[in-house]
Amino acid sequence: MAKAKVKKVFLDSLGKQNPVFAQVLGICSTLAVTNVLKNTLVMTMGVVFVTALSNFTVSLMRKVIPSRVRMMVETLIIASYVIIVEIALKAFVPDIWRQLGPYVGLIITNCIIMGRAEAFALSNPAGISLVDGLASGIGYAYVLLIIAFFRELMGSGTIWGYQVMGSWWTNWSIMVMPPGAFFMLAVFIWIVKGLLLTHEEKKS
Amino acid sequence: MKSRFWKERIFPVVFMVAVTVVFISVVSGIYLSTRDMVKLNESLFLKRAVLYAADITVPGKGAAVDKVYRSRVRERLDSEGLVNHFEILEDNEISGYAVFAGGPGLWGKIEAVIGFTEMRDKLTGVEFIKQNETPGLGARIAEEWFKEQFRGKMGPFVLVPEGTAQAEKEVNAITGATRTSNFVLEIINQSLEDIKEGEWPKLR
């Protein structure tokens, strides 16, 4: 039973309840960081870390947090984890930290994290909340990485900084700019929802 | 009545203060434990930048960078004890200089280290130490091909479309980042003017 619940929570966040394409949350960072694969990976790893641990911590404290200051406590927890991510990047991978600039700090405002803390961690035990946070983070990460893959490929002709397109390829500058992310995200949602919906219809 | 007042008014405040103290202490502890590492990274980054701008091959490892830097660079301080410019040494004779230069960019300030010969007639290199330009577009000013365009040349430079620069004073702009290219050119041309007049360029 417990195993089945863990599995359901995990798979839902990756698929049907995916924070990006089903709930359409965390869009600002989707637009901002997905033009280069390397930055996207570091940013999404940060989000996975913060979502998982903040969910876990909020859940541990859920019985003692007074409901009046609930959101303040959640923000404090999330902000602390984000600052820890930023300090770690600064100390261990300073080059990537320099490239990401203000985006790491902006993880604090990512609505997925607060959303999961409010909707899940406050009413569920710590273990399953950790799984939910982890899955939401991974659900967010893989969508962004797919978008970043195509944006970097079409916008810069490179993958992970390595030139893969030949000299015949003209870079689509718009793919590197925020509008390119809108197009890619919309196409992605269109395809995935189309597939998921037909699947659901068949089931019913 | 008293207990309700405590529960609804006082306890949330006390709780919030306590939680804040705990989390801030943890974050501060992590910050303090990595502070030296971050400082070292920053000073290494600047040393690498100065060596790169002076056209001195930069070794890969930290300790090696330090060694080359100490034998080839002398820091000149201003009256406030901050670095005003760097003297580049060859066999203990001054062979050139490196200075800080900066100006506005598209999203924030752009700062660079600019190296030039002792005769002040040629740039030995340009390295960017601070920039928040759009990743994938303006941030490409940090790419090798863009920076190498200035080495061994004397401006004032003019921008031409990417891939068409031929004459000495022509610089390839970055497609999709014309404004960033313009800002960078302005910083470099202005610095060259200062250098020619015998002044040290400033961070503007």
Side-chain angles (χ1 to χ4, degrees):
Chain A
M1 179 65 197
K3 246 187 189 172
K5 194 182 175 192
V6 170
K7 198 175 163 195
K8 187 181 177 323
V9 164
F10 197 84
L11 292 180
D12 270 2
S13 290
L14 301 187
K16 274 194 303 212
Q17 289 299 322
N18 185 284
V20 184
F21 62 76
Q23 302 176 43
V24 199
L25 290 175
I27 296 307
C28 13
S29 47
T30 308
L31 302 183
V33 298
T34 54
N35 53 8
V36 182
L37 208 49
K38 206 183 274 176
N39 292 358
T40 311
L41 183 74
V42 176
M43 168 89 174
T44 52
M45 294 315 283
V47 173
V48 172
F49 173 83
V50 174
T51 328
L53 288 186
S54 64
N55 244 18
F56 182 71
T57 316
V58 169
S59 175
L60 279 182
M61 295 168 66
R62 71 187 190 283
K63 285 182 183 152
V64 285
I65 302 176
S67 63
R68 278 171 182 253
V69 291
R70 195 184 73 234
M71 293 190 101
M72 282 164 71
V73 175
E74 287 163 12
T75 312
L76 178 78
I77 293 169
I78 294 166
S80 304
Y81 283 124
V82 172
I83 294 170
I84 291 171
V85 169
E86 182 150 27
I87 293 174
L89 290 178
K90 232 174 163 175
F92 301 108
V93 277
D95 291 337
I96 291 184
W97 169 74
R98 223 165 263 121
Q99 277 180 29
L100 282 173
Y103 295 133
V104 181
L106 284 175
I107 296 177
I108 297 173
T109 61
N110 191 321
C111 19
I112 294 170
I113 306 173
M114 187 69 135
R116 290 328 289 168
E118 276 283 295
F120 198 93
L122 277 179
S123 47
N124 285 286
I128 192 93
S129 295
L130 180 73
V131 173
D132 178 76
L134 206 64
S136 296
I138 295 170
Y140 167 84
Y142 86 83
V143 174
L144 258 65
L145 286 170
I146 291 172
I147 293 177
F149 178 86
F150 287 106
R151 283 184 74 192
E152 187 177 336
L153 184 68
M154 292 198 265
S156 312
T158 58
I159 294 293
W160 201 261
Y162 295 105
Q163 194 69 40
V164 285
M165 295 299 222
S167 53
W168 53 272
W169 175 258
T170 307
N171 290 341
W172 301 15
S173 288
I174 193 152
M175 270 300 161
V176 190
M177 294 190 270
F182 270 120
F183 294 135
M184 272 311 301
L185 181 65
V187 169
F188 189 85
I189 292 178
W190 179 33
I191 294 172
V192 171
K193 280 212 157 170
L195 287 175
L196 277 184
L197 281 182
T198 33
H199 185 66
E200 293 282 296
E201 273 167 15
K202 266 184 202 161
K203 261 208 300 197
S204 63
Chain B
M1 189 65 197
K2 197 183 167 194
S3 97
R4 205 177 142 198
F5 181 75
W6 158 257
K7 204 176 161 193
E8 287 189 4
R9 304 276 165 171
I10 308 294
F11 179 68
V13 178
V14 174
F15 183 84
M16 195 64 221
V17 171
V19 171
T20 307
V21 169
V22 170
F23 276 85
I24 287 184
S25 308
V26 172
V27 171
S28 307
I30 295 175
Y31 167 76
L32 290 176
S33 65
T34 55
R35 192 174 48 175
D36 292 343
M37 212 164 168
V38 171
K39 261 193 188 157
L40 191 74
N41 284 340
E42 270 165 19
S43 93
L44 210 62
F45 174 71
L46 183 65
K47 284 174 183 170
R48 268 184 218 274
V50 173
L51 291 176
Y52 181 87
D55 201 9
I56 298 170
T57 317
V58 185
K61 284 203 175 129
V65 173
D66 229 21
K67 199 176 160 204
V68 175
Y69 183 84
R70 263 181 291 159
S71 65
R72 298 292 308 270
V73 181
R74 195 157 56 202
E75 293 174 359
R76 284 289 171 189
L77 309 180
D78 60 13
S79 54
E80 287 166 31
L82 299 170
V83 177
N84 181 49
H85 64 272
F86 303 89
E87 288 172 352
I88 311 302
L89 308 172
E90 189 145 19
D91 302 326
N92 278 325
E93 299 271 316
I94 295 175
S95 66
Y97 300 95
V99 292
F100 291 114
L106 187 62
W107 302 117
K109 271 184 98 173
I110 297 177
E111 289 178 15
V113 175
I114 297 180
F116 52 92
T117 55
E118 201 259 330
M119 300 291 289
R120 299 175 178 241
D121 59 350
K122 263 178 196 162
L123 286 178
T124 53
V126 174
E127 175 68 302
F128 298 96
I129 50 174
K130 190 177 167 193
Q131 53 101 357
N132 286 312
E133 302 309 289
T134 320
L137 290 175
R140 288 176 64 210
I141 57 172
E143 288 178 9
E144 212 69 8
W145 69 270
F146 186 79
K147 295 184 294 193
E148 287 295 327
Q149 299 188 85
F150 301 98
R151 228 191 260 288
K153 292 181 189 168
M154 193 58 185
F157 297 102
V158 286
L159 281 179
V160 294
E162 191 171 329
T164 61
Q166 278 170 343
E168 184 182 322
K169 291 186 191 314
E170 284 179 350
V171 168
N172 288 309
I174 294 168
T175 308
T178 312
R179 292 193 58 200
T180 300
S181 309
N182 274 323
F183 285 128
V184 168
L185 218 68
E186 238 166 69
I187 293 169
I188 294 176
N189 283 341
Q190 183 60 49
S191 307
L192 287 173
E193 244 172 67
D194 292 345
I195 292 165
K196 271 192 226 159
E197 285 167 17
E199 286 174 25
W200 300 115
K202 290 172 206 75
L203 291 172
R204 282 182 176 78

